[in-house]
Amino acid sequence: MKNIIFILLFVVLNGATCEKEHDVVRSFCYWKTSLYFQKEEDSLIRDLKVQHMYIRFFDIDWNPYAKEPLPVATINDFSLNESNPEITPSIFITNEVVLQSDKKQLDSLASRIAKRVQQIGVRLNEAKADKIANGIVYPKDYYKQENFKRLNYDSIKSIELAKLKVDFKEILIDCDWTEKSKENYFYLLKQIKKGFSTSKIASTIRLWQYKYAEKAGTPPVDKGLLMCYNLAKPDDFNTKNSIGTSEELAQYITHDKYKLKLDIALPLYSWAVVFRGNQFKGILSDYDQLRNDSVKLKKTSDSKYILQDDVLIGQTYLRNGDEIRIEKISEAELEKMISIVTSKIKIDNQTKVTFFSFDKKYINDYGTQNISGYYARF
């Protein structure tokens, strides 16, 4: 009897201690063309204990006039202020690029991607060196010092810049490849790898590519980032929530046999989808002014509204009678989505759990305490 009690006690205690064996790497996606953090962003990163960020460096699109792939929407400003997360450069490549390019163009593209990432990395280091130099040349309360002697800023910055190397641990390639384009895309990934000998290469994995891995193929990379959102087309009038639902997610994450180690990306954003006479008119990301106007906006269901007047939101003109579908993943839905992911995909202390996207509007909307809880659920 004593032996039985001892065994039961061991099982209970062992279960309690092993219930959470790891903490995931807390991450966010940053997808804007200007990176300018101030004290509020620093505070959010600190409060959420964010260790890592995917930062979109540039996109690659097919230029029909030049008949070649060219970079667009390159990030143009860097200021991380006090924040210092590990950065993974992210490059979005349209499917058109890999469909239209021949092998010679893909070879050239891989080389140009490596060069452009290096150039942006140098600019990022220059911004870091600039901040460090400013702190050395102009220390706190320097103007109060009686015998203050100002050092040469340029020489200090040059010394600090020389200490910094462009050495990203990982490069993320984001492309919604298809069965038709996978051969070219996988070839491009192999060529990109040659340009980043010290970096791991990761590829985004859409949910259909995960579920139908045999048809979609497995990209020749070190790991994948599973994109658990954007499950439906927003321009479909009958769509309930194009960002995603737990029910839809469960239809895709049906196995645990994917051949790559996976990091996880989940949605942390919202938007308003506009229809006029059941026809899609566009998406509003900044719709707070509209949502708070109970006179001009009449609620018809949990997520749908009808405009009662003509309004101008930013540069978008909306008309009386337009239908608005506000899309957001509820807290309960996010928790269900996390449960679905963890039931099939191996999570450990090297797994990056990233939310799209890092924006103080969305973060404040969900709340830092709730977001920390989502990380802890893994």
Side-chain angles (χ1 to χ4, degrees):
M1 184 65 180
K2 287 182 178 179
N3 287 341
I4 294 173
I5 292 172
F6 176 78
I7 292 170
L8 287 172
L9 182 61
F10 175 80
V11 170
V12 170
L13 290 175
N14 192 55
T17 56
C18 295
E19 185 177 351
K20 185 68 182 291
E21 296 178 344
H22 58 261
D23 289 312
V24 296
V25 178
R26 298 186 174 203
S27 174
F28 263 94
C29 293
Y30 189 88
W31 239 242
K32 299 179 182 180
T33 54
S34 180
L35 180 64
Y36 187 71
F37 286 1
Q38 296 181 299
K39 288 183 178 180
E40 187 174 357
E41 285 80 8
D42 286 337
S43 178
L44 291 173
I45 287 176
R46 184 171 57 253
D47 292 347
L48 289 167
K49 299 179 182 177
V50 175
Q51 303 151 275
H52 173 271
M53 295 190 86
Y54 294 100
I55 295 180
R56 190 198 60 81
F57 272 25
F58 54 92
D59 298 344
I60 302 290
D61 201 358
W62 180 257
N63 188 301
Y65 302 103
K67 296 190 183 304
E68 65 173 328
L70 293 175
V72 294
T74 300
I75 193 166
N76 54 35
D77 187 26
F78 284 107
S79 179
L80 284 167
N81 204 26
E82 302 298 330
S83 303
N84 191 32
E86 178 190 334
I87 290 174
T88 292
S90 304
I91 297 97
F92 174 72
I93 301 174
T94 66
N95 191 48
E96 190 72 9
V97 164
V98 285
L99 280 172
Q100 296 287 350
S101 300
D102 56 32
K103 292 290 195 296
K104 185 177 180 180
Q105 288 176 314
L106 293 176
D107 290 342
S108 173
L109 176 59
S111 176
R112 286 183 288 136
I113 285 173
K115 183 178 180 180
R116 199 172 190 83
V117 168
Q118 173 71 21
Q119 291 170 339
I120 296 173
V122 169
R123 284 170 46 208
L124 178 60
N125 283 347
E126 286 176 346
K128 290 180 179 178
D130 180 69
K131 184 169 183 59
I132 294 169
N134 266 303
I136 294 171
V137 175
Y138 302 105
K140 186 178 180 181
D141 297 334
Y142 71 92
Y143 54 88
K144 295 181 181 178
Q145 299 176 22
E146 191 172 327
N147 299 313
F148 173 72
K149 183 178 179 181
R150 189 170 73 85
L151 300 172
N152 183 277
Y153 168 83
D154 290 334
S155 62
I156 296 295
K157 181 178 177 179
S158 179
I159 291 169
E160 293 301 321
L161 184 58
K163 297 177 184 177
L164 302 172
K165 305 300 179 186
V166 179
D167 186 22
F168 298 112
K169 293 181 181 178
E170 180 183 84
I171 308 295
L172 175 69
I173 306 300
D174 180 13
C175 179
D176 189 5
W177 83 88
T178 62
E179 192 175 3
K180 186 177 179 181
S181 64
K182 70 178 179 182
E183 182 182 342
N184 267 7
Y185 179 56
F186 292 177
Y187 175 83
L188 175 62
L189 289 173
K190 291 176 182 177
Q191 300 311 105
I192 288 173
K193 178 63 179 174
K194 294 177 182 178
F196 295 98
S197 58
T198 62
S199 304
K200 289 185 175 181
I201 303 298
S203 172
T204 53
I205 310 294
R206 289 342 191 247
L207 286 165
W208 79 267
Q209 295 160 347
Y210 175 89
K211 181 176 181 178
Y212 304 107
E214 190 172 333
K215 179 190 290 187
T218 304
V221 293
D222 299 295
K223 64 194 313 191
L225 176 63
L226 186 63
M227 315 292 275
C228 300
Y229 54 91
N230 285 359
L231 303 182
K233 294 182 178 180
D235 59 1
D236 185 344
F237 183 76
N238 296 314
T239 293
K240 181 180 178 182
N241 188 334
S242 64
I243 297 174
T245 66
S246 59
E247 184 180 354
E248 290 171 318
L249 185 64
Q251 293 173 12
Y252 285 95
I253 301 183
T254 57
H255 64 87
D256 59 359
K257 307 299 182 186
Y258 202 75
K259 295 178 182 178
L260 287 176
K261 174 77 173 72
L262 293 173
D263 294 318
I264 307 299
L266 288 163
L268 200 75
Y269 65 97
S270 62
W271 58 27
V273 187
V274 182
F275 293 89
R276 184 172 300 151
N278 293 2
Q279 296 297 309
F280 175 73
K281 298 304 294 182
I283 293 175
L284 300 174
S285 57
D286 188 8
Y287 61 89
D288 287 345
Q289 173 191 343
L290 182 63
R291 182 175 58 177
N292 296 329
D293 193 334
S294 58
V295 175
K296 293 182 179 179
L297 202 62
K298 180 183 177 182
K299 189 171 185 176
T300 58
S301 70
D302 287 343
S303 62
K304 292 185 177 180
Y305 301 78
I306 292 182
L307 269 177
Q308 305 293 293
D309 198 357
D310 296 350
V311 295
L312 182 66
I313 305 296
Q315 300 296 314
T316 304
Y317 179 70
L318 304 179
R319 294 180 181 174
N320 184 1
D322 284 354
E323 297 187 55
I324 313 290
R325 184 178 69 223
I326 293 180
E327 298 185 348
K328 177 185 175 182
I329 307 294
S330 70
E331 294 171 19
E333 275 293 278
L334 262 177
E335 291 184 357
K336 289 178 184 177
M337 292 170 88
I338 291 169
S339 294
I340 291 165
V341 169
T342 55
S343 71
K344 296 293 185 183
I345 297 171
K346 180 178 171 54
I347 307 293
D348 57 33
N349 61 5
Q350 299 299 308
T351 304
K352 290 193 279 288
V353 172
T354 191
F355 288 105
F356 184 91
S357 67
F358 189 84
D359 187 305
K360 59 187 178 183
K361 169 190 167 184
Y362 301 135
I363 294 172
N364 290 329
D365 191 21
Y366 278 90
T368 55
Q369 188 173 351
N370 286 334
I371 298 169
S372 289
Y374 302 146
Y375 285 123
R377 288 288 302 275
F378 285 90

